[in-house]
Every structure is written in structure tokens, then in C-alpha cells.
Amino acid sequence: MRQYSRIATFLLVFIFLFSGLIKLNDPIGTQLKLEEYFDVFSQDFPAMEGFWKFWIPFALPLSILLSSLEIVLGIALWANYRTKQVLWTFLGLLGFFGFLTFYSAYFNKVTDCGCFGETIKLTPWTSFFKDVFLFVLALSLLFTDKVKSFNKNLSPVIISAVISVTLGVYCYFYLPINDGLPYAIGDNIPQNMKSREALRFSYVYKINGKEETLTEMPTDTQAVFVSMQALNEKEARPLITDYRIWVENDTVDYTAESFKGKKLMVIIPNVHHSHLEALKQIGILANEASKKGITVWLLSASSDEEVNAIRHEYQLNFPAMSVDTKVLKTIIRSSPGLWLLNQGTVRGKWSAYHLPSIEDIDQSLLTTD
């Protein structure tokens, strides 16, 4: 039992630390996932619509706090701090996560739970069974000698809480430390929009009255086709499927144009949820970039009227285009944010709170893979 307790503790601690760190690396990604859950529940439980919508504005602090709690619980369990109480907290948190993932899986609502951020995608059912496994581990530890551990030293818990919250806040203001999205620095966007490998299929044919599954079409002319199925659809799917830039009533293919030459994109998913004061410095930077032959575009999902209003207010002398809000939030976790492309390859990303100088942009454009 002692050996089992060590293994179970290690698994719980490792998975919670891993999960918490990944989500703190990208707190806005977890925020978006929480908002998706709250929105789904407000629609599916109309009697509690106000309750669920109440939490939407607090999704970001909840993102940081819940992710930090995973770290703190893992450290507390490893340090044997009030083990019994910590294990009951584990059970409560896993029960809550289990409900979310079961609901998503059974009713096919949120197709990616966000348990491990954007780094590792899990299906809702996989996420649910993962939560069940961890719940059983935590429950079983209540029946071992582990619960007799009662370390009163609060220092590791406090230190882990401070570091966790600091990490989440840092990554919110200065972008994720590790960018696991397909628009990261060094990625070539046109390449990420292509299929990663050729599709392979299995074929079901009825031959001599019996159905047979084949990996290639039969040569028997008497074989009767029944069905076919892709074997590697997920592996072959492009990393980017929804990147598109457009201007209403304009026939120019701005998506293709964005891959030509040097482009500095000013990204504002929603003008009402942006640090607009940064546009003063961005406007100056854009003028300097234009003098160096760098084309500057503003990409937003807000209406033309709203975008033109801020362009006029902040004297932004560069054109604006439309892009889906989900795409923009995937490109960069900042609003506004700067995204630098050279021949379709990402050369730089900067948040509204850590804007570059024109020298920084020049240096980024000189970078080669």
C-alpha cells in the first residue's frame, strides 16, 4: 500500500502540475474555454441563464485562479500539507471537471475541454475518463496511510500560489511563453493551411456475398461497393482551416496578398475589449514601418463603423480588413496585438503591453529559420 500511495500521489501531482502550468502559459485560451462553457450552460439551463452569464466577465481571473489552484493542490499533496483536506479538495475539483466533461461529451457541446490548454487536444470522452481515473486515485488515497501525513508548513503552498498567479498574469500581459498555436513565430501560414499528409481510405465491398474491408479498391469487377472511410482524417487535416481576410464588396484576395512581402498586422478582435491606448504608439510605429517598405494592415472582427471610428480617433493611416474573431484570438492573445509576416512566415508577435521598436521589427525580419 505504501508503494501504491507513492505511485498514486506522483500521478496526481504530475498531471495537476502539468495541466496547471500549460493553462497558466495561456490564460486567455482557458478564459475563452470557460466563456464557451458559461455560454452553453446559459442556453441549456434557461432558468439559470443569469447565473451563468454573471460569470462570463470574470472568466479571465477564474482562468488564472483555477489553473493556479491545480498547481497549489499538487504542491500541497507532494509536501504532505494537510493531506486529508487537500485530497477532499482534489475530489471536489475533479467532480466539477468531471461534470463539465461528461456534459460536453454526452450532449456534444464543447468539443475540446481545454484540460491541457491548446498543447494537447483531448476529446470530451477522453477528458471525462481522465477525470474519473484521477477521481478514483484521489479517493483511494483516503484509504491509505497518506492521510496520516499532516505537515503544517504552509511555505510551499504560499510560494507555489504566488508563482502560479504571477506566471498567469505575466503570460496575459506578455503573451504565452510557449506558443503552441499554428500562428507562432517561425510558422509558415500557407504551409500550415495545406494537408499534412495524403488521405488514406479503407473500402468495404461485397465480394461473393460477403462484406470485406480493403485498403485499396478491388480489381474484381463483380465486387459491389458498400462504403469507404478515411483512415487518417485527423492526421491529414491542415493545422489552419479558417484563416481568411476580406473587405466587403472588394474582389481582391487579401488572404493570398497577406503572404506577399512584409506585412505588419495590427490585430483587434473586438474594439470594445481592447487596450486602445496602445494604438497611439502603434500608429507611430506603423508610420515608421511604412517608410521601410513594410505594409501595415488592421485586422478586426468588429463592424466597419466601429473600426473606422478608432482609426479616425487614433489617426491610423493604414487600411482595415475583416477576419473572424476566433481566428484573430488564435493568432495572438492580445488586443491590440502586432503580428509580423515575411512572405507568409511569422517573424514576430508583440502584445499591447510590450510593443516593439522599429529596430526590433527590423531585427525580426532579418531572422532566418
Side-chain angles (χ1 to χ4, degrees):
M1 289 300 293
R2 184 176 299 174
Q3 187 67 15
Y4 170 81
S5 176
R6 290 174 179 171
I7 294 173
T9 298
F10 172 79
L11 288 173
L12 276 171
V13 170
F14 175 79
I15 293 175
F16 264 67
L17 290 181
F18 182 66
S19 172
L21 284 171
I22 283 180
K23 284 185 282 201
L24 285 172
N25 174 70
D26 184 13
I28 292 182
T30 306
Q31 172 196 358
L32 297 175
K33 192 58 60 178
L34 287 173
E35 289 176 350
E36 188 177 355
Y37 273 116
F38 294 147
D39 184 59
V40 166
F41 289 149
S42 69
Q43 295 177 39
D44 290 4
F45 301 99
M48 300 179 65
E49 180 181 3
F51 172 79
W52 293 114
K53 287 192 172 181
F54 169 81
W55 293 105
I56 292 178
F58 304 103
L60 177 60
L62 280 174
S63 162
I64 294 175
L65 290 176
L66 285 174
S67 302
S68 298
L69 181 58
E70 293 187 61
I71 302 290
V72 171
L73 286 175
I75 295 297
L77 185 63
W78 188 257
N80 296 323
Y81 176 77
R82 297 183 180 271
T83 307
K84 190 172 184 178
Q85 291 87 337
V86 167
L87 285 172
W88 278 111
T89 307
F90 263 109
L91 292 173
L93 197 61
L94 288 167
F96 172 69
F97 288 153
F99 164 73
L100 294 182
T101 53
F102 175 78
Y103 189 87
S104 298
Y106 190 81
F107 295 102
N108 194 31
K109 292 293 182 178
V110 182
T111 55
D112 170 29
C113 73
C115 302
F116 295 115
E118 297 287 347
T119 303
I120 301 176
K121 299 284 189 177
L122 298 181
T123 66
W125 280 121
T126 302
S127 302
F128 171 68
F129 289 120
K130 180 263 298 178
D131 291 334
V132 170
F133 170 71
L134 294 177
F135 187 92
V136 171
L137 275 185
L139 184 64
S140 67
L141 283 174
L142 286 172
F143 301 96
T144 68
D145 289 340
K146 183 71 176 176
V147 294
K148 295 180 181 179
S149 302
F150 196 88
N151 185 351
K152 292 184 178 181
N153 184 8
L154 191 59
S155 299
V157 177
I158 294 176
I159 292 172
S160 64
V162 171
I163 292 176
S164 298
V165 173
T166 301
L167 175 62
V169 172
Y170 176 88
C171 291
Y172 167 72
F173 283 107
Y174 297 99
L175 302 182
I177 296 171
N178 178 51
D179 191 343
L181 299 169
Y183 297 93
I185 295 174
D187 279 343
N188 182 269
I189 307 306
Q191 185 62 39
N192 284 351
M193 294 171 68
K194 297 177 181 178
S195 296
R196 287 176 286 170
E197 58 184 64
L199 280 171
R200 293 179 284 106
F201 297 91
S202 65
Y203 306 91
V204 178
Y205 275 84
K206 184 173 286 187
I207 302 175
N208 297 325
K210 294 181 179 179
E211 288 190 358
E212 295 186 21
T213 301
L214 310 171
T215 55
E216 56 184 36
M217 293 185 180
T219 56
D220 187 349
T221 57
Q222 301 300 313
V224 178
F225 175 78
V226 176
S227 64
M228 64 185 291
Q229 181 179 2
L231 299 174
N232 61 333
E233 183 177 1
K234 184 177 180 180
E235 293 77 10
R237 186 184 302 128
L239 293 172
I240 296 174
T241 59
D242 49 4
Y243 177 80
R244 178 173 170 260
I245 303 175
W246 74 91
V247 173
E248 292 295 336
N249 304 316
D250 196 327
T251 58
V252 176
D253 185 354
Y254 287 100
T255 303
E257 286 295 317
S258 69
F259 305 140
K260 298 177 182 178
K262 303 168 184 176
K263 296 288 192 305
L264 180 64
M265 311 293 197
V266 180
I267 294 177
I268 308 177
N270 187 325
V271 298
H272 298 294
H273 298 92
S274 297
H275 179 51
L276 294 180
E277 282 299 306
L279 290 176
K280 294 178 181 178
Q281 186 177 343
I282 288 175
I284 297 172
L285 185 62
N287 290 334
E288 294 176 336
S290 296
K291 293 175 183 178
K292 289 178 170 287
I294 302 171
T295 303
V296 183
W297 289 355
L298 190 156
L299 306 183
S300 179
S302 292
S303 67
D304 291 344
E305 293 78 8
E306 292 171 324
V307 171
N308 288 330
I310 64 168
R311 289 175 67 205
H312 176 74
E313 180 179 355
Y314 292 96
Q315 297 297 299
L316 304 179
N317 301 315
F318 44 87
M321 287 99 177
S322 297
V323 180
D324 179 76
T325 183
K326 183 179 179 181
V327 172
L328 293 177
K329 289 179 179 180
T330 305
I331 290 175
I332 191 168
R333 303 302 204 195
S334 178
S335 183
L338 296 182
W339 190 47
L340 181 65
L341 298 179
N342 189 5
Q343 302 297 337
T345 297
V346 183
R347 291 305 180 196
K349 295 172 81 167
W350 296 273
S351 79
Y353 302 94
H354 189 230
L355 293 170
S357 64
I358 191 62
E359 290 76 20
D360 293 328
I361 291 176
D362 284 338
Q363 188 61 42
S364 297
L365 289 171
L366 291 174
T367 303
T368 57
D369 296 327

